[in-house]
Structure formats: structure tokens, C-alpha cells
PDB file of all heavy atoms in Angstrom:
ATOM      1  N   ILE A 988     -13.950  21.906   4.013  1.00 73.00           N
ATOM      2  CA  ILE A 988     -13.074  20.964   4.713  1.00 73.00           C
ATOM      3  C   ILE A 988     -12.928  19.653   3.938  1.00 73.00           C
ATOM      4  O   ILE A 988     -12.099  18.809   4.270  1.00 73.00           O
ATOM      5  CB  ILE A 988     -13.604  20.703   6.149  1.00 73.00           C
ATOM      6  CG1 ILE A 988     -12.591  19.938   7.003  1.00 73.00           C
ATOM      7  CG2 ILE A 988     -14.920  19.947   6.108  1.00 73.00           C
ATOM      8  CD1 ILE A 988     -11.356  20.700   7.324  1.00 73.00           C
ATOM      9  N   GLY A 989     -13.689  19.490   2.852  1.00 75.00           N
ATOM     10  CA  GLY A 989     -13.684  18.228   2.107  1.00 75.00           C
ATOM     11  C   GLY A 989     -12.325  17.835   1.561  1.00 75.00           C
ATOM     12  O   GLY A 989     -11.930  16.677   1.651  1.00 75.00           O
ATOM     13  N   LYS A 990     -11.601  18.777   0.977  1.00 79.00           N
ATOM     14  CA  LYS A 990     -10.287  18.447   0.398  1.00 79.00           C
ATOM     15  C   LYS A 990      -9.288  17.978   1.457  1.00 79.00           C
ATOM     16  O   LYS A 990      -8.656  16.939   1.283  1.00 79.00           O
ATOM     17  CB  LYS A 990      -9.740  19.636  -0.380  1.00 79.00           C
ATOM     18  CG  LYS A 990     -10.432  19.878  -1.686  1.00 79.00           C
ATOM     19  CD  LYS A 990      -9.786  21.048  -2.407  1.00 79.00           C
ATOM     20  CE  LYS A 990     -10.439  21.332  -3.725  1.00 79.00           C
ATOM     21  NZ  LYS A 990      -9.779  22.453  -4.411  1.00 79.00           N
ATOM     22  N   PRO A 991      -9.114  18.724   2.557  1.00 84.00           N
ATOM     23  CA  PRO A 991      -8.177  18.223   3.566  1.00 84.00           C
ATOM     24  C   PRO A 991      -8.600  16.882   4.162  1.00 84.00           C
ATOM     25  O   PRO A 991      -7.756  16.026   4.440  1.00 84.00           O
ATOM     26  CB  PRO A 991      -8.170  19.314   4.645  1.00 84.00           C
ATOM     27  CG  PRO A 991      -8.703  20.523   3.996  1.00 84.00           C
ATOM     28  CD  PRO A 991      -9.584  20.068   2.879  1.00 84.00           C
ATOM     29  N   LEU A 992      -9.898  16.672   4.332  1.00 85.00           N
ATOM     30  CA  LEU A 992     -10.362  15.391   4.859  1.00 85.00           C
ATOM     31  C   LEU A 992     -10.080  14.255   3.879  1.00 85.00           C
ATOM     32  O   LEU A 992      -9.694  13.159   4.285  1.00 85.00           O
ATOM     33  CB  LEU A 992     -11.858  15.451   5.182  1.00 85.00           C
ATOM     34  CG  LEU A 992     -12.235  16.201   6.447  1.00 85.00           C
ATOM     35  CD1 LEU A 992     -13.747  16.219   6.640  1.00 85.00           C
ATOM     36  CD2 LEU A 992     -11.546  15.612   7.659  1.00 85.00           C
ATOM     37  N   PHE A 993     -10.272  14.517   2.590  1.00 83.00           N
ATOM     38  CA  PHE A 993      -9.977  13.486   1.601  1.00 83.00           C
ATOM     39  C   PHE A 993      -8.478  13.164   1.590  1.00 83.00           C
ATOM     40  O   PHE A 993      -8.085  11.998   1.519  1.00 83.00           O
ATOM     41  CB  PHE A 993     -10.432  13.928   0.207  1.00 83.00           C
ATOM     42  CG  PHE A 993     -10.137  12.907  -0.848  1.00 83.00           C
ATOM     43  CD1 PHE A 993     -10.857  11.730  -0.918  1.00 83.00           C
ATOM     44  CD2 PHE A 993      -9.126  13.123  -1.775  1.00 83.00           C
ATOM     45  CE1 PHE A 993     -10.577  10.774  -1.885  1.00 83.00           C
ATOM     46  CE2 PHE A 993      -8.840  12.183  -2.747  1.00 83.00           C
ATOM     47  CZ  PHE A 993      -9.565  10.999  -2.808  1.00 83.00           C
ATOM     48  N   ASP A 994      -7.639  14.199   1.679  1.00 86.00           N
ATOM     49  CA  ASP A 994      -6.195  13.978   1.728  1.00 86.00           C
ATOM     50  C   ASP A 994      -5.808  13.157   2.965  1.00 86.00           C
ATOM     51  O   ASP A 994      -4.975  12.248   2.881  1.00 86.00           O
ATOM     52  CB  ASP A 994      -5.444  15.313   1.739  1.00 86.00           C
ATOM     53  CG  ASP A 994      -5.669  16.115   0.472  1.00 86.00           C
ATOM     54  OD1 ASP A 994      -5.953  15.508  -0.578  1.00 86.00           O
ATOM     55  OD2 ASP A 994      -5.554  17.344   0.531  1.00 86.00           O
ATOM     56  N   LEU A 995      -6.422  13.470   4.092  1.00 89.00           N
ATOM     57  CA  LEU A 995      -6.165  12.712   5.315  1.00 89.00           C
ATOM     58  C   LEU A 995      -6.627  11.274   5.161  1.00 89.00           C
ATOM     59  O   LEU A 995      -5.945  10.334   5.592  1.00 89.00           O
ATOM     60  CB  LEU A 995      -6.866  13.384   6.496  1.00 89.00           C
ATOM     61  CG  LEU A 995      -6.603  12.791   7.868  1.00 89.00           C
ATOM     62  CD1 LEU A 995      -5.123  12.873   8.221  1.00 89.00           C
ATOM     63  CD2 LEU A 995      -7.447  13.504   8.918  1.00 89.00           C
ATOM     64  N   PHE A 996      -7.773  11.085   4.527  1.00 89.00           N
ATOM     65  CA  PHE A 996      -8.282   9.740   4.244  1.00 89.00           C
ATOM     66  C   PHE A 996      -7.280   8.961   3.384  1.00 89.00           C
ATOM     67  O   PHE A 996      -6.994   7.790   3.648  1.00 89.00           O
ATOM     68  CB  PHE A 996      -9.637   9.833   3.543  1.00 89.00           C
ATOM     69  CG  PHE A 996     -10.163   8.529   3.031  1.00 89.00           C
ATOM     70  CD1 PHE A 996     -10.720   7.613   3.899  1.00 89.00           C
ATOM     71  CD2 PHE A 996     -10.099   8.218   1.681  1.00 89.00           C
ATOM     72  CE1 PHE A 996     -11.217   6.393   3.426  1.00 89.00           C
ATOM     73  CE2 PHE A 996     -10.587   7.014   1.200  1.00 89.00           C
ATOM     74  CZ  PHE A 996     -11.144   6.096   2.079  1.00 89.00           C
ATOM     75  N   LEU A 997      -6.721   9.616   2.360  1.00 88.00           N
ATOM     76  CA  LEU A 997      -5.718   8.965   1.523  1.00 88.00           C
ATOM     77  C   LEU A 997      -4.485   8.570   2.324  1.00 88.00           C
ATOM     78  O   LEU A 997      -3.931   7.474   2.136  1.00 88.00           O
ATOM     79  CB  LEU A 997      -5.306   9.872   0.359  1.00 88.00           C
ATOM     80  CG  LEU A 997      -6.258   9.977  -0.808  1.00 88.00           C
ATOM     81  CD1 LEU A 997      -5.716  10.972  -1.841  1.00 88.00           C
ATOM     82  CD2 LEU A 997      -6.487   8.630  -1.460  1.00 88.00           C
ATOM     83  N   LEU A 998      -4.030   9.448   3.199  1.00 91.00           N
ATOM     84  CA  LEU A 998      -2.866   9.145   4.034  1.00 91.00           C
ATOM     85  C   LEU A 998      -3.120   7.919   4.912  1.00 91.00           C
ATOM     86  O   LEU A 998      -2.295   7.008   4.975  1.00 91.00           O
ATOM     87  CB  LEU A 998      -2.508  10.343   4.914  1.00 91.00           C
ATOM     88  CG  LEU A 998      -1.713  11.455   4.269  1.00 91.00           C
ATOM     89  CD1 LEU A 998      -1.615  12.644   5.205  1.00 91.00           C
ATOM     90  CD2 LEU A 998      -0.332  10.971   3.900  1.00 91.00           C
ATOM     91  N   ILE A 999      -4.264   7.911   5.570  1.00 92.00           N
ATOM     92  CA  ILE A 999      -4.567   6.818   6.500  1.00 92.00           C
ATOM     93  C   ILE A 999      -4.747   5.497   5.761  1.00 92.00           C
ATOM     94  O   ILE A 999      -4.186   4.468   6.152  1.00 92.00           O
ATOM     95  CB  ILE A 999      -5.810   7.164   7.346  1.00 92.00           C
ATOM     96  CG1 ILE A 999      -5.486   8.332   8.284  1.00 92.00           C
ATOM     97  CG2 ILE A 999      -6.303   5.953   8.135  1.00 92.00           C
ATOM     98  CD1 ILE A 999      -6.697   8.940   8.956  1.00 92.00           C
ATOM     99  N   THR A1000      -5.531   5.504   4.662  1.00 91.00           N
ATOM    100  CA  THR A1000      -5.776   4.247   3.943  1.00 91.00           C
ATOM    101  C   THR A1000      -4.522   3.738   3.241  1.00 91.00           C
ATOM    102  O   THR A1000      -4.302   2.531   3.170  1.00 91.00           O
ATOM    103  CB  THR A1000      -6.922   4.394   2.926  1.00 91.00           C
ATOM    104  OG1 THR A1000      -6.657   5.484   2.058  1.00 91.00           O
ATOM    105  CG2 THR A1000      -8.247   4.580   3.622  1.00 91.00           C
ATOM    106  N   SER A1001      -3.693   4.640   2.730  1.00 90.00           N
ATOM    107  CA  SER A1001      -2.460   4.175   2.081  1.00 90.00           C
ATOM    108  C   SER A1001      -1.495   3.595   3.112  1.00 90.00           C
ATOM    109  O   SER A1001      -0.811   2.601   2.845  1.00 90.00           O
ATOM    110  CB  SER A1001      -1.800   5.301   1.280  1.00 90.00           C
ATOM    111  OG  SER A1001      -1.416   6.360   2.118  1.00 90.00           O
ATOM    112  N   ALA A1002      -1.442   4.192   4.307  1.00 92.00           N
ATOM    113  CA  ALA A1002      -0.602   3.634   5.365  1.00 92.00           C
ATOM    114  C   ALA A1002      -1.132   2.261   5.790  1.00 92.00           C
ATOM    115  O   ALA A1002      -0.346   1.316   5.971  1.00 92.00           O
ATOM    116  CB  ALA A1002      -0.553   4.585   6.559  1.00 92.00           C
ATOM    117  N   ALA A1003      -2.447   2.139   5.913  1.00 91.00           N
ATOM    118  CA  ALA A1003      -3.043   0.849   6.277  1.00 91.00           C
ATOM    119  C   ALA A1003      -2.801  -0.192   5.183  1.00 91.00           C
ATOM    120  O   ALA A1003      -2.501  -1.359   5.485  1.00 91.00           O
ATOM    121  CB  ALA A1003      -4.541   1.018   6.523  1.00 91.00           C
ATOM    122  N   ALA A1004      -2.891   0.222   3.924  1.00 90.00           N
ATOM    123  CA  ALA A1004      -2.630  -0.714   2.817  1.00 90.00           C
ATOM    124  C   ALA A1004      -1.169  -1.152   2.816  1.00 90.00           C
ATOM    125  O   ALA A1004      -0.865  -2.318   2.539  1.00 90.00           O
ATOM    126  CB  ALA A1004      -2.983  -0.055   1.489  1.00 90.00           C
ATOM    127  N   PHE A1005      -0.262  -0.244   3.122  1.00 90.00           N
ATOM    128  CA  PHE A1005       1.159  -0.598   3.180  1.00 90.00           C
ATOM    129  C   PHE A1005       1.406  -1.623   4.277  1.00 90.00           C
ATOM    130  O   PHE A1005       2.104  -2.619   4.070  1.00 90.00           O
ATOM    131  CB  PHE A1005       2.012   0.655   3.411  1.00 90.00           C
ATOM    132  CG  PHE A1005       3.482   0.400   3.259  1.00 90.00           C
ATOM    133  CD1 PHE A1005       4.080   0.501   2.016  1.00 90.00           C
ATOM    134  CD2 PHE A1005       4.261   0.050   4.355  1.00 90.00           C
ATOM    135  CE1 PHE A1005       5.427   0.262   1.862  1.00 90.00           C
ATOM    136  CE2 PHE A1005       5.613  -0.196   4.209  1.00 90.00           C
ATOM    137  CZ  PHE A1005       6.204  -0.087   2.962  1.00 90.00           C
ATOM    138  N   VAL A1006       0.809  -1.395   5.453  1.00 90.00           N
ATOM    139  CA  VAL A1006       0.968  -2.332   6.557  1.00 90.00           C
ATOM    140  C   VAL A1006       0.361  -3.688   6.189  1.00 90.00           C
ATOM    141  O   VAL A1006       0.949  -4.738   6.456  1.00 90.00           O
ATOM    142  CB  VAL A1006       0.332  -1.769   7.851  1.00 90.00           C
ATOM    143  CG1 VAL A1006       0.252  -2.814   8.934  1.00 90.00           C
ATOM    144  CG2 VAL A1006       1.125  -0.557   8.324  1.00 90.00           C
ATOM    145  N   ALA A1007      -0.810  -3.667   5.554  1.00 88.00           N
ATOM    146  CA  ALA A1007      -1.456  -4.923   5.153  1.00 88.00           C
ATOM    147  C   ALA A1007      -0.616  -5.655   4.111  1.00 88.00           C
ATOM    148  O   ALA A1007      -0.555  -6.886   4.105  1.00 88.00           O
ATOM    149  CB  ALA A1007      -2.852  -4.648   4.613  1.00 88.00           C
ATOM    150  N   ALA A1008       0.053  -4.924   3.229  1.00 85.00           N
ATOM    151  CA  ALA A1008       0.876  -5.546   2.196  1.00 85.00           C
ATOM    152  C   ALA A1008       2.100  -6.237   2.783  1.00 85.00           C
ATOM    153  O   ALA A1008       2.619  -7.187   2.194  1.00 85.00           O
ATOM    154  CB  ALA A1008       1.310  -4.502   1.169  1.00 85.00           C
ATOM    155  N   THR A1009       2.555  -5.787   3.930  1.00 86.00           N
ATOM    156  CA  THR A1009       3.713  -6.447   4.547  1.00 86.00           C
ATOM    157  C   THR A1009       3.365  -7.846   5.031  1.00 86.00           C
ATOM    158  O   THR A1009       4.253  -8.660   5.247  1.00 86.00           O
ATOM    159  CB  THR A1009       4.259  -5.608   5.726  1.00 86.00           C
ATOM    160  OG1 THR A1009       3.229  -5.450   6.702  1.00 86.00           O
ATOM    161  CG2 THR A1009       4.755  -4.255   5.258  1.00 86.00           C
ATOM    162  N   ALA A1010       2.073  -8.137   5.185  1.00 85.00           N
ATOM    163  CA  ALA A1010       1.649  -9.466   5.632  1.00 85.00           C
ATOM    164  C   ALA A1010       1.552 -10.459   4.485  1.00 85.00           C
ATOM    165  O   ALA A1010       1.349 -11.654   4.712  1.00 85.00           O
ATOM    166  CB  ALA A1010       0.308  -9.370   6.343  1.00 85.00           C
ATOM    167  N   LEU A1011       1.697  -9.985   3.236  1.00 78.00           N
ATOM    168  CA  LEU A1011       1.629 -10.904   2.095  1.00 78.00           C
ATOM    169  C   LEU A1011       2.846 -11.826   2.101  1.00 78.00           C
ATOM    170  O   LEU A1011       3.920 -11.439   2.564  1.00 78.00           O
ATOM    171  CB  LEU A1011       1.565 -10.110   0.789  1.00 78.00           C
ATOM    172  CG  LEU A1011       0.286  -9.303   0.563  1.00 78.00           C
ATOM    173  CD1 LEU A1011       0.415  -8.434  -0.681  1.00 78.00           C
ATOM    174  CD2 LEU A1011      -0.901 -10.226   0.426  1.00 78.00           C
ATOM    175  N   PRO A1012       2.693 -13.037   1.562  1.00 75.00           N
ATOM    176  CA  PRO A1012       3.813 -13.975   1.575  1.00 75.00           C
ATOM    177  C   PRO A1012       5.006 -13.433   0.786  1.00 75.00           C
ATOM    178  O   PRO A1012       4.850 -12.705  -0.182  1.00 75.00           O
ATOM    179  CB  PRO A1012       3.239 -15.244   0.919  1.00 75.00           C
ATOM    180  CG  PRO A1012       2.007 -14.811   0.227  1.00 75.00           C
ATOM    181  CD  PRO A1012       1.515 -13.574   0.906  1.00 75.00           C
ATOM    182  N   SER A1013       6.186 -13.819   1.208  1.00 72.00           N
ATOM    183  CA  SER A1013       7.402 -13.299   0.578  1.00 72.00           C
ATOM    184  C   SER A1013       7.966 -14.263  -0.456  1.00 72.00           C
ATOM    185  O   SER A1013       9.176 -14.463  -0.532  1.00 72.00           O
ATOM    186  CB  SER A1013       8.441 -12.982   1.646  1.00 72.00           C
ATOM    187  OG  SER A1013       8.749 -14.153   2.364  1.00 72.00           O
ATOM    188  N   ILE A1014       7.111 -14.878  -1.252  1.00 72.00           N
ATOM    189  CA  ILE A1014       7.579 -15.737  -2.340  1.00 72.00           C
ATOM    190  C   ILE A1014       7.891 -14.869  -3.549  1.00 72.00           C
ATOM    191  O   ILE A1014       7.369 -13.781  -3.694  1.00 72.00           O
ATOM    192  CB  ILE A1014       6.514 -16.803  -2.714  1.00 72.00           C
ATOM    193  CG1 ILE A1014       5.202 -16.123  -3.098  1.00 72.00           C
ATOM    194  CG2 ILE A1014       6.310 -17.764  -1.577  1.00 72.00           C
ATOM    195  CD1 ILE A1014       4.169 -17.051  -3.673  1.00 72.00           C
ATOM    196  N   GLU A1015       8.755 -15.350  -4.419  1.00 64.00           N
ATOM    197  CA  GLU A1015       9.105 -14.590  -5.618  1.00 64.00           C
ATOM    198  C   GLU A1015       8.230 -15.052  -6.771  1.00 64.00           C
ATOM    199  O   GLU A1015       8.109 -16.241  -7.039  1.00 64.00           O
ATOM    200  CB  GLU A1015      10.572 -14.794  -5.968  1.00 64.00           C
ATOM    201  CG  GLU A1015      11.518 -14.166  -4.972  1.00 64.00           C
ATOM    202  CD  GLU A1015      12.971 -14.351  -5.364  1.00 64.00           C
ATOM    203  OE1 GLU A1015      13.237 -14.830  -6.479  1.00 64.00           O
ATOM    204  OE2 GLU A1015      13.826 -14.007  -4.544  1.00 64.00           O
ATOM    205  N   ILE A1016       7.594 -14.092  -7.451  1.00 61.00           N
ATOM    206  CA  ILE A1016       6.749 -14.421  -8.599  1.00 61.00           C
ATOM    207  C   ILE A1016       7.512 -14.160  -9.886  1.00 61.00           C
ATOM    208  O   ILE A1016       7.652 -15.022 -10.725  1.00 61.00           O
ATOM    209  CB  ILE A1016       5.438 -13.616  -8.569  1.00 61.00           C
ATOM    210  CG1 ILE A1016       4.591 -14.055  -7.394  1.00 61.00           C
ATOM    211  CG2 ILE A1016       4.662 -13.796  -9.858  1.00 61.00           C
ATOM    212  CD1 ILE A1016       3.285 -13.327  -7.271  1.00 61.00           C
ATOM    213  N   VAL A1017       8.001 -12.954 -10.060  1.00 57.00           N
ATOM    214  CA  VAL A1017       8.739 -12.576 -11.260  1.00 57.00           C
ATOM    215  C   VAL A1017      10.066 -11.994 -10.806  1.00 57.00           C
ATOM    216  O   VAL A1017      10.099 -10.964 -10.145  1.00 57.00           O
ATOM    217  CB  VAL A1017       7.958 -11.525 -12.084  1.00 57.00           C
ATOM    218  CG1 VAL A1017       8.760 -11.096 -13.301  1.00 57.00           C
ATOM    219  CG2 VAL A1017       6.613 -12.053 -12.497  1.00 57.00           C
ATOM    220  N   GLY A1018      11.155 -12.653 -11.175  1.00 61.00           N
ATOM    221  CA  GLY A1018      12.453 -12.140 -10.788  1.00 61.00           C
ATOM    222  C   GLY A1018      12.561 -11.995  -9.284  1.00 61.00           C
ATOM    223  O   GLY A1018      12.389 -12.944  -8.543  1.00 61.00           O
ATOM    224  N   ASP A1019      12.820 -10.788  -8.831  1.00 68.00           N
ATOM    225  CA  ASP A1019      12.952 -10.518  -7.403  1.00 68.00           C
ATOM    226  C   ASP A1019      11.692  -9.901  -6.807  1.00 68.00           C
ATOM    227  O   ASP A1019      11.714  -9.446  -5.675  1.00 68.00           O
ATOM    228  CB  ASP A1019      14.126  -9.554  -7.166  1.00 68.00           C
ATOM    229  CG  ASP A1019      15.455 -10.195  -7.527  1.00 68.00           C
ATOM    230  OD1 ASP A1019      15.556 -11.424  -7.432  1.00 68.00           O
ATOM    231  OD2 ASP A1019      16.380  -9.457  -7.905  1.00 68.00           O
ATOM    232  N   LEU A1020      10.599  -9.859  -7.562  1.00 70.00           N
ATOM    233  CA  LEU A1020       9.382  -9.221  -7.079  1.00 70.00           C
ATOM    234  C   LEU A1020       8.518 -10.209  -6.310  1.00 70.00           C
ATOM    235  O   LEU A1020       8.283 -11.327  -6.756  1.00 70.00           O
ATOM    236  CB  LEU A1020       8.574  -8.644  -8.246  1.00 70.00           C
ATOM    237  CG  LEU A1020       9.283  -7.603  -9.111  1.00 70.00           C
ATOM    238  CD1 LEU A1020       8.366  -7.133 -10.224  1.00 70.00           C
ATOM    239  CD2 LEU A1020       9.735  -6.433  -8.271  1.00 70.00           C
ATOM    240  N   SER A1021       8.027  -9.763  -5.177  1.00 73.00           N
ATOM    241  CA  SER A1021       7.106 -10.580  -4.391  1.00 73.00           C
ATOM    242  C   SER A1021       5.697 -10.036  -4.584  1.00 73.00           C
ATOM    243  O   SER A1021       5.514  -8.941  -5.121  1.00 73.00           O
ATOM    244  CB  SER A1021       7.499 -10.522  -2.911  1.00 73.00           C
ATOM    245  OG  SER A1021       7.213  -9.252  -2.382  1.00 73.00           O
ATOM    246  N   PRO A1022       4.682 -10.764  -4.139  1.00 72.00           N
ATOM    247  CA  PRO A1022       3.315 -10.264  -4.262  1.00 72.00           C
ATOM    248  C   PRO A1022       3.099  -8.932  -3.531  1.00 72.00           C
ATOM    249  O   PRO A1022       2.186  -8.189  -3.849  1.00 72.00           O
ATOM    250  CB  PRO A1022       2.464 -11.364  -3.634  1.00 72.00           C
ATOM    251  CG  PRO A1022       3.288 -12.582  -3.699  1.00 72.00           C
ATOM    252  CD  PRO A1022       4.716 -12.124  -3.622  1.00 72.00           C
ATOM    253  N   ALA A1023       3.933  -8.631  -2.567  1.00 76.00           N
ATOM    254  CA  ALA A1023       3.775  -7.402  -1.791  1.00 76.00           C
ATOM    255  C   ALA A1023       4.373  -6.185  -2.490  1.00 76.00           C
ATOM    256  O   ALA A1023       4.130  -5.051  -2.069  1.00 76.00           O
ATOM    257  CB  ALA A1023       4.421  -7.568  -0.422  1.00 76.00           C
ATOM    258  N   PHE A1024       5.141  -6.391  -3.550  1.00 79.00           N
ATOM    259  CA  PHE A1024       5.854  -5.276  -4.172  1.00 79.00           C
ATOM    260  C   PHE A1024       4.913  -4.184  -4.684  1.00 79.00           C
ATOM    261  O   PHE A1024       5.076  -3.009  -4.341  1.00 79.00           O
ATOM    262  CB  PHE A1024       6.734  -5.781  -5.320  1.00 79.00           C
ATOM    263  CG  PHE A1024       7.395  -4.677  -6.086  1.00 79.00           C
ATOM    264  CD1 PHE A1024       8.460  -3.986  -5.549  1.00 79.00           C
ATOM    265  CD2 PHE A1024       6.934  -4.309  -7.339  1.00 79.00           C
ATOM    266  CE1 PHE A1024       9.067  -2.947  -6.241  1.00 79.00           C
ATOM    267  CE2 PHE A1024       7.525  -3.276  -8.041  1.00 79.00           C
ATOM    268  CZ  PHE A1024       8.593  -2.594  -7.490  1.00 79.00           C
ATOM    269  N   PHE A1025       3.934  -4.529  -5.515  1.00 80.00           N
ATOM    270  CA  PHE A1025       3.058  -3.524  -6.115  1.00 80.00           C
ATOM    271  C   PHE A1025       2.154  -2.841  -5.088  1.00 80.00           C
ATOM    272  O   PHE A1025       2.023  -1.619  -5.118  1.00 80.00           O
ATOM    273  CB  PHE A1025       2.250  -4.107  -7.269  1.00 80.00           C
ATOM    274  CG  PHE A1025       3.091  -4.368  -8.482  1.00 80.00           C
ATOM    275  CD1 PHE A1025       3.444  -5.646  -8.826  1.00 80.00           C
ATOM    276  CD2 PHE A1025       3.560  -3.318  -9.255  1.00 80.00           C
ATOM    277  CE1 PHE A1025       4.243  -5.881  -9.924  1.00 80.00           C
ATOM    278  CE2 PHE A1025       4.366  -3.540 -10.357  1.00 80.00           C
ATOM    279  CZ  PHE A1025       4.708  -4.830 -10.703  1.00 80.00           C
ATOM    280  N   PRO A1026       1.534  -3.574  -4.165  1.00 84.00           N
ATOM    281  CA  PRO A1026       0.754  -2.864  -3.144  1.00 84.00           C
ATOM    282  C   PRO A1026       1.602  -1.912  -2.306  1.00 84.00           C
ATOM    283  O   PRO A1026       1.176  -0.812  -1.990  1.00 84.00           O
ATOM    284  CB  PRO A1026       0.171  -3.988  -2.283  1.00 84.00           C
ATOM    285  CG  PRO A1026       0.161  -5.179  -3.162  1.00 84.00           C
ATOM    286  CD  PRO A1026       1.332  -5.024  -4.083  1.00 84.00           C
ATOM    287  N   LYS A1027       2.816  -2.337  -1.972  1.00 86.00           N
ATOM    288  CA  LYS A1027       3.700  -1.449  -1.200  1.00 86.00           C
ATOM    289  C   LYS A1027       4.099  -0.234  -2.029  1.00 86.00           C
ATOM    290  O   LYS A1027       4.116   0.887  -1.519  1.00 86.00           O
ATOM    291  CB  LYS A1027       4.956  -2.195  -0.753  1.00 86.00           C
ATOM    292  CG  LYS A1027       4.751  -3.128   0.395  1.00 86.00           C
ATOM    293  CD  LYS A1027       6.077  -3.774   0.755  1.00 86.00           C
ATOM    294  CE  LYS A1027       5.967  -4.719   1.909  1.00 86.00           C
ATOM    295  NZ  LYS A1027       7.256  -5.360   2.205  1.00 86.00           N
TER     296      LYS A1027
END
């Protein structure tokens, strides 16, 4: 069951990271990229 559990862990943590990245400030650092771009 380890592989499916790890995949589920990746799904949950990546979704949580995406949600957390939306809270980053929306200032522009380079061109049109904000600090949230790479985490998202």
C-alpha cells in the first residue's frame, strides 16, 4: 500500500502548497512574475 499512500500524500501536500501559495503577496518581482508563481 506504500506507493498509493505516497501518491495520495503528494496530492494532498501539493494541493495544500498551492493554497498556501495563493496567500503570498501579489507584488511583481521579475516582469509579470509574482512570488507565488513558482510555488503554484
Side-chain angles (χ1 to χ4, degrees):
I988 191 67
K990 287 182 180 181
L992 284 179
F993 179 72
D994 297 334
L995 185 61
F996 172 77
L997 283 177
L998 280 172
I999 293 168
T1000 54
S1001 62
F1005 189 88
V1006 169
T1009 60
L1011 292 173
S1013 60
I1014 57 171
E1015 292 182 8
I1016 293 180
V1017 178
D1019 294 332
L1020 301 180
S1021 71
F1024 175 74
F1025 288 106
K1027 284 181 179 178

